[in-house]
Amino acid sequence: MLQENEQTIRDAISQLPKRQQEVIFLKYYKGLSNEEIASIMNIEKQTVANFLHRSLTSLKRNLVMLAEFLILPFINLLFLKI
């Protein structure tokens, strides 16, 4: 189950624009600060914050939609059996 969740998150990240993917990788996989990311990517610290905000918002939206898509058939099945 954990591996499936991890793959789902990786798939969702792969749908992001490349620069947002890079920020996510540097922040959450490498554990770098926004200042360090800005220096590596040669962008402003505020741009890093903007990329993080946009990417996390997109990930939340996409993962919730995916969860609803996967869960709704089971909910319908439960109600049809009652």
Side-chain angles (χ1 to χ4, degrees), residues 2 5 66 71:
L2 182 60
N5 290 342
L66 178 61
I71 292 171

Side-chain angles (χ1 to χ4, degrees), residues 38-78:
S39 176
I40 290 169
M41 294 180 67
N42 197 27
I43 57 178
E44 296 293 324
K45 189 172 103 172
Q46 184 60 49
T47 304
V48 172
N50 292 345
F51 281 161
L52 284 169
H53 181 270
R54 286 186 201 130
S55 60
L56 293 175
T57 299
S58 180
L59 287 172
K60 286 177 191 175
R61 181 178 56 246
N62 291 340
L63 291 171
V64 165
M65 288 173 40
L66 178 61
E68 289 174 354
F69 176 75
L70 295 173
I71 292 171
L72 284 177
F74 292 111
I75 292 173
N76 288 332
L77 186 62
L78 288 173

